[in-house]
Amino acid sequence: MTDATTQMGQTTAPQEQMEDMSREWNYHPELPLDNPSIFKWPPNPAYLAGWLARNWLTLSERVLMLGLALLLYFFFYPSLEAAQSFALGWIAQVYVVNFAIIALTAGTLHWYFYIRKGQGKRLKFERREQGKNNSLWNFSDQVKDNMFWSLGSGVAQLTLFQVVTMWLMANGHTPTITFASNPIWFLAFLVIIPMWSAFHFYWVHRLLHQPFLYKRVHALHHRNVNIGPWSGFSMHPVEHFIYLTTLCVHWVVASHPIHLIFHIVFQGPGAAMSHTGYEDLLIKDKRRLALGTFYHQLHHRYYECNYGNQEMPWDRWFGTFHDGSPEATAETRARKKRMFG
């Protein structure tokens, strides 16, 4: 593990503090965490161009999710014409496809990282294995518990939002576009959807951390301190509903079914990818695909910090950013004590 170095004008962390962090984690990136937000001020055109290239011009997580969305649109989901009236056939088709993509994504990642142990513990944040024989979990098993909530309430509510949105699109109750009618907005909205998702997630996530909702709803997801692929979409039904209201943007903003499906993939299978518990997928000892982030891993360890993601500046702007340092841990614990007593 390398020592933290001076970044962005910050002073190098003391050696003993970095050694403490190395004892706490199996792996962590260089600390303190830098600010990778695309909303830095003043704007940096070179940084923005690099961010765009990394996310959209290479084999990135987003490119893979867009590829899956195109595959689903052309070959698996029903057409908008079929969605003009509510009917069991096409609704069941949407449900089965959603069940399959959640199960295959989370299941494949869990098999590779936790059953086959495809890269051992390299780039794994936590030392511990996932929980078993513990009454904290339904079925006394963390993975089975997470599967139950993901494939039960999760798939059902994802399907509900998708079915309603498809019906609205099919009947002209929400604005729609095609690539031919508006190619610039068509491509731009694909880039904007993850940003909108991050904006929405920060604010609903902060809402879910208010003591009343946290104790009754969000605590179910936060039983996953040591996260895995099945943890990402494992939530209380009320949280699933709140989390998936991000899809309502398609009710008011002009979009195409491909945008909706990309958004579906981003919220469902994407949650499994971002909760693998590993920073990157290694192939022949080279980092080939970014997966989880230490930024969000800190949230699962310390709770009242890093409510959003690294791309958006909200945690930094509103004082809830944890940069991985012992000082940030102390501040986060004090915030939690003020919130919950």
Side-chain angles (χ1 to χ4, degrees), residues 69 174 213 338:
T174 186
L213 281 175
R338 289 194 300 271

Side-chain angles (χ1 to χ4, degrees), residues 219-276:
L220 187 148
H221 179 72
H222 262 286
R223 294 185 301 193
N224 296 285
V225 176
N226 182 17
I227 59 176
W230 283 107
S231 305
F233 205 48
S234 176
M235 306 173 192
H236 187 283
V238 172
E239 181 173 355
H240 274 129
F241 183 85
I242 295 171
Y243 172 73
L244 292 171
T245 56
T246 182
L247 298 170
C248 295
V249 69
H250 300 278
W251 299 4
V252 294
V253 175
S255 62
H256 184 275
I258 287 174
H259 295 118
L260 172 63
I261 297 169
F262 175 60
H263 206 163
I264 291 284
V265 171
F266 196 85
Q267 299 302 128
M273 296 175 74
S274 64
H275 283 74
T276 56

Side-chain angles (χ1 to χ4, degrees), residues 15 67 113 124 128 135 152 181 198 221 228 231 295 307 317 322 341:
Q15 177 70 28
F113 285 110
K124 185 178 187 294
R128 296 170 293 170
S135 60
S181 69
H221 179 72
S231 305
Y295 187 98
Y307 299 114
W317 288 2
H322 193 313

Side-chain angles (χ1 to χ4, degrees), residues 8-25:
M8 304 293 290
Q10 294 173 317
T11 304
T12 303
Q15 177 70 28
E16 59 271 17
Q17 291 183 348
M18 292 301 98
E19 289 175 356
D20 287 343
M21 291 300 296
S22 295
R23 284 194 291 269
E24 280 195 44
W25 301 95

